[in-house]
Amino acid sequence: MAIPQLKLNDGNIIPQFGLGTWQVPNEDAERVVLEAFEMGYRHIDTAELYMNEEAVGKAVRSSGLPREEIWVTTKLWNNHRGKREVEAQFEKSLKLLGLDYIDLYLIHWPAPNNGPIEETWETFASLRDRGLVRSIGVSNFDERFLPAILNTGIIPAVDQIELNPQFQQRATVDVASEYDVKIEAWGPLGRGKIDFDSGVIGNIAQQIGATWAQVVLAWHIARGHIVFPKSVHKARVAENLAATELVLSDAQLQQIDALDLGEAGRLSGDPALVN
Ligand code: NAD
């Protein structure tokens, strides 16, 4: 199974499809990640917040796969700001993961109440320049928060934002695409909270003999989003991976584009309010 690859604006190549690990407990994460590697996954999304970096790192190290074949993303939580805090927390993540470098390090949220972001972002650039991180990016920086980052002249490789067919964040996607910042869609399946199995997506799934989750994931991939749906169930982890082989027609893609509800489609916190 060939997972599509994307070239980031810093020249690095990222697997466009991977495994999310939010709410995967540390006790289960090693098994889940190893099972995913066996199926062909090569990209794992974790975070300081998820408290499973240790198990994710164990899986990476015990997989037997060459380190350079695996893409590991982790994220800095909102209470760490400024050079000293960022460097100290980065060291902790690296140590928990048990790795020499991280492929992608993200500022998890803009957290506007926690002070200016510039020094934190410049420290990310220095971690990259020192070879400790291959790519740097942001998460939940929508069109209101991206300009502060872009104005530093250090362009993020990705912006990881909440995005599903009902919440397409077009304003943010437009700003990002001006700078060739790739969009990573978190909650790509609507976090299991939306009934995509009826209506447009359910119909397409029936027509092509796929599941609704596969149709949603195939849409993301066709629209250029990097995705890492989360499941701890082997059958679903495999089902999601098989979506990388699915090709939707232009008409089907456009039908899904039309499901955007704008702001009403948001499932999780507004970045202006998450601190
Ligand atoms: P998701 O959209 O991936 O949904 C996960 C849920 O969908 C599962 O718990 C399960 O209930 C269901 N599901 C998964 N596969 C399915 C299938 N084949 N059929 C039916 N149901 C299925 O939501 P998510 O986990 O919130 O997002 C994915 C990843 O994005 C996370 O695990 C995490 O790594 C990342 N994330 C990042 C942020 C951020 O702030 N940067 C926030 C949330 C999540």
Side-chain angles (χ1 to χ4, degrees), residues 5-149:
Q5 315 271 315
L6 287 182
K7 188 170 188 174
L8 302 175
N9 60 19
D10 59 12
N12 288 329
I13 307 285
I14 186 171
Q16 196 185 351
F17 182 89
L19 182 74
T21 66
W22 167 230
Q23 290 181 323
V24 180
N26 201 53
E27 306 81 74
D28 298 337
E30 187 181 0
R31 168 192 63 84
V32 174
V33 172
L34 279 173
E35 283 174 0
F37 284 151
E38 272 168 33
M39 291 176 205
Y41 282 70
R42 291 292 181 268
H43 170 173
I44 309 295
D45 184 87
T46 180
E48 175 195 345
L49 178 77
Y50 305 170
M51 295 195 295
N52 58 20
E53 287 172 308
E54 190 184 354
V56 167
K58 253 192 200 163
V60 170
R61 285 179 282 116
S62 65
S63 66
L65 294 166
R67 172 66 184 90
E68 63 275 14
E69 278 186 22
I70 302 174
W71 185 279
V72 178
T73 298
T74 194
K75 316 185 189 86
L76 176 85
W77 189 242
N78 305 342
N79 53 331
H80 310 299
R81 288 295 183 264
K83 184 169 189 289
R84 274 180 46 184
E85 286 254 349
V86 172
E87 287 182 345
Q89 180 51 43
F90 176 78
E91 280 302 323
K92 276 191 199 166
S93 281
L94 201 60
K95 202 167 166 200
L96 277 171
L97 285 159
L99 301 176
D100 300 331
Y101 67 89
I102 288 167
D103 296 277
L104 176 61
Y105 198 36
L106 303 179
I107 302 180
H108 208 142
W109 291 83
N113 287 359
N114 300 1
I117 205 71
E118 286 78 3
E119 184 183 325
T120 294
W121 184 233
E122 282 156 10
T123 309
F124 269 54
S126 81
L127 293 172
R128 182 190 56 191
D129 297 344
R130 287 159 56 198
L132 295 167
V133 175
R134 294 179 64 218
S135 292
I136 56 173
V138 293
S139 176
N140 299 300
F141 281 63
D142 63 21
E143 78 284 3
R144 298 166 294 178
F145 296 104
L146 262 183
I149 291 287

